[in-house]
Amino acid sequence: MEEAVKIYQGELFTFTASPFEREDCYLYEKEGALVVSGGRVVEIGLAASILPKYPTAELVTYDKGHLIMPGLIDAHVHYPQLSVMGMYGEQLLEWLNRYTFPAEVNFNERREKVDYADFFLQELFSRGTTACMAWSTNQLNSVTALFQAAKAYDMCLITGKNLMDRNAPASLLDEEDKGERASRWLIEEWNGVGRLHYAVTPRFAPSSTREQLEMAGRLLKEYPGVYMQTHLSENRDELRWVQELFPACKDYLEVYEQAGLLTDRSFFGHGIHLSADERRRISRAGATVVHCPSSNLFLGSGLFDWEGFDRVALGSDVGAGTSLSMLSTMGEAYKVSQLLGRPKDPLELLWSCTMGVAEALGLSDEIGSFKAGCYADFVVVDYMPDELAAGRIHALSAGGQQMLENILFGMQILSADCRISETYVKGEQVYASGWDF
Ligand code: GUN
Ligand code: ZN
């Protein structure tokens, strides 16, 4: 039997190329149509030319002021840390010891982890995020809970077990070869199941011995399909500590490099205080740096500079991040870039949490755009939910300014004033505003 066809009609946006490489990089139709069948994008285009081709399709039409666009991708978020969002007064190392490690110890003692993981995913959906590279805890069942919850939606999700064997509370540490055994088991069990992927996850250099980092490097070699995520060069006290712990290394990146952890499947959270040489080595390897602006501002970690990196993704980094919204994360990234005197434009920011990160993950045939064959993971943003927002858009149309750029920029910098109307994963609705009253 042929799969049913559903058409979503309204204002529509998707990237077709990188805004870092060419101006002509997107498709924007004011009266567009997105054709979905079997959970995948069939085609997109002008409604007037698409609709006659599918006379029996079910039609969903959105009003003016609603933009249909690819679902957002959060490249760095800690799901056991929701409870430590907005904890006052510390920088990274104190924050970890005072709030975050205790929260992860408590999380490990929770029984109903799958329910909690599902709650986390629903919080993402309600903010327009449809895929993520997430952190769990050190415990194997925190990872299985998140994979199980994500599998129920058949969504794209990457996670892994935190590897730590020093400088954290005892119950967060891997004894003997437990880190390796648990990682192997999880890779064999989950990597490549549906749209799920495993990331080897050494937390950061100070909480792993050289032996553990090398073991993580061996896993990456042995299982070429898996990713690697870690934290890098986030805070100045952390940098000094890494120098004390690894005195033979010339810089922070070399600690990971020597362990075989710098590859084109590596995702480094933060990367604020890196030298020009470290930036070059990251780009040469084809690795990705994940910019986490709300976290960097909240913990006073520093201002991330995009200079010298080929691949930058965006992450909420909740619980240090102050919002799960990737719209708000783009707005924060803009402010940081303004402070450095090199403002990023709204297309570059959106690229970094849609098709740009999909390319970095090697998943651009599946997520990040409306290319035919991609999964129909998308969001409908109501960017004129009230008179205030409508007034801005009317003024824009009257003034003839760059319309699309300012619609996108408004969603980012005024994110609190727009609404996620609906979110879809693989063609299924997973959120609609009104579900959350
Ligand atoms: N460095 C090591 N662990 C963490 C963490 O949980 N959050 C942040 N922001 N940085 C880290
Ligand atoms: Zn983090």
Side-chain angles (χ1 to χ4, degrees):
M1 200 178 77
E2 266 194 26
E3 290 270 9
V5 175
K6 213 160 164 175
I7 300 183
Y8 300 84
Q9 183 183 0
E11 196 174 337
L12 182 144
F13 172 88
T14 183
F15 283 107
T16 51
S18 167
F20 291 94
E21 283 163 18
R22 48 192 290 186
E23 264 182 43
D24 171 22
C25 62
Y26 60 80
L27 186 134
Y28 173 53
E29 296 288 6
K30 278 205 162 132
E31 291 174 12
L34 164 68
V35 184
V36 173
S37 182
R40 298 200 186 236
V41 175
V42 178
E43 62 171 325
I44 51 164
L46 198 63
S49 32
I50 296 257
L51 295 184
K53 292 204 258 175
Y54 302 91
T56 59
E58 187 183 336
L59 197 61
V60 180
T61 304
Y62 297 102
D63 296 340
K64 195 166 176 305
H66 289 71
L67 184 68
I68 308 166
M69 62 181 202
L72 301 168
I73 303 167
D74 186 341
H76 189 120
V77 56
H78 298 251
Y79 96 93
Q81 291 184 15
L82 297 183
S83 63
V84 299
M85 286 176 80
M87 292 293 160
Y88 177 75
E90 307 289 4
Q91 291 217 348
L92 176 66
L93 300 178
E94 297 75 24
W95 175 83
L96 284 172
N97 286 320
R98 182 161 173 205
Y99 296 119
T100 309
F101 289 155
E104 293 187 14
V105 170
N106 286 338
F107 186 85
N108 283 345
E109 285 160 12
R110 288 181 84 104
R111 284 174 176 273
E112 67 305 355
K113 289 195 178 66
V114 182
D115 288 349
Y116 190 84
D118 185 60
F119 164 73
F120 164 72
L121 296 177
Q122 289 184 32
E123 292 295 307
L124 295 188
F125 300 151
S126 71
R127 289 163 178 84
T129 298
T130 52
C132 66
M133 191 153 186
W135 289 67
S136 301
T137 70
N138 61 311
Q139 234 184 35
L140 189 144
N141 71 10
S142 75
V143 180
T144 52
L146 187 55
F147 276 141
Q148 276 171 18
K151 188 163 176 264
Y153 298 101
D154 204 0
M155 67 182 288
C156 174
L157 182 136
I158 302 156
T159 191
K161 175 212 150 356
N162 283 2
L163 293 166
M164 288 197 270
D165 65 356
R166 61 172 165 174
N167 295 323
S171 70
L172 297 183
L173 299 181
D174 298 309
E175 288 157 7
E176 295 166 12
D177 65 345
K178 191 174 140 226
E180 176 169 358
R181 278 190 292 120
S183 301
R184 278 182 190 284
W185 187 86
L186 286 164
I187 293 170
E188 308 262 349
E189 193 73 9
W190 287 104
N191 188 51
V193 171
R195 302 174 65 193
L196 307 174
H197 303 270
Y198 194 81
V200 173
T201 305
R203 185 171 200 136
F204 69 155
S207 59
S208 286
T209 56
R210 169 166 300 288
E211 292 69 36
Q212 191 177 51
L213 294 174
E214 284 171 355
M215 177 278 289
R218 283 195 302 277
L219 286 179
L220 266 191
K221 273 214 184 73
E222 200 177 318
Y223 297 98
V226 306
Y227 299 98
M228 195 288 296
Q229 60 179 348
T230 189
H231 296 89
L232 168 69
S233 206
E234 174 177 2
N235 167 285
R236 294 217 179 266
D237 288 338
E238 172 204 14
L239 256 71
R240 278 188 281 276
W241 197 17
V242 171
Q243 209 164 43
E244 276 167 38
L245 292 169
F246 299 91
C249 290
K250 68 174 185 235
D251 52 34
Y252 195 157
L253 185 65
E254 196 174 77
V255 176
Y256 295 139
E257 238 167 353
Q258 286 187 351
L261 295 173
L262 176 61
T263 77
D264 61 358
R265 298 180 77 80
S266 303
F267 286 70
F268 296 103
H270 306 280
I272 304 169
H273 308 286
L274 294 169
S275 66
D277 187 51
E278 285 172 297
R279 287 161 199 265
R280 256 192 305 278
R281 279 144 56 208
I282 286 173
S283 290
R284 210 184 306 134
T288 303
V289 172
V290 187
H291 176 22
C292 306
S294 78
S295 162
N296 296 344
L297 294 169
F298 176 70
L299 291 179
S301 301
L303 302 179
F304 173 84
D305 190 346
W306 297 60
E307 275 306 294
F309 295 121
D310 280 352
R311 290 187 189 281
V312 177
L314 293 180
S316 67
D317 194 29
V318 159
T322 52
S323 170
L324 283 172
S325 160
M326 294 310 292
L327 295 180
S328 150
T329 301
M330 289 184 265
E332 297 300 290
Y334 171 78
K335 292 178 200 165
V336 171
S337 68
Q338 267 287 41
L339 283 170
L340 290 173
R342 285 186 284 279
K344 289 284 145 202
D345 75 43
L347 288 165
E348 291 170 335
L349 294 167
L350 186 56
W351 169 258
S352 303
C353 51
T354 53
M355 195 166 161
V357 59
E359 281 189 357
L361 289 164
L363 295 177
S364 58
D365 289 337
E366 297 185 14
I367 56 172
S369 79
F370 290 148
K371 192 161 77 169
C374 275
Y375 288 106
D377 295 349
F378 63 98
V379 55
V380 183
V381 184
D382 177 1
Y383 62 82
M384 290 202 306
D386 56 23
E387 265 186 55
L388 180 76
R392 177 177 175 273
I393 298 297
H394 288 142
L396 263 176
S397 1
Q401 282 107 336
Q402 291 183 303
M403 194 63 184
L404 170 70
E405 281 79 352
N406 270 308
I407 289 173
L408 296 178
F409 188 53
M411 291 178 189
Q412 299 168 1
I413 205 73
L414 308 172
S415 60
D417 291 332
C418 68
R419 185 165 51 209
I420 302 297
S421 269
E422 294 176 11
T423 307
Y424 290 80
V425 167
K426 210 179 164 191
E428 297 290 330
Q429 193 174 63
V430 291
Y431 172 77
S433 69
W435 287 7
D436 53 352
F437 47 79

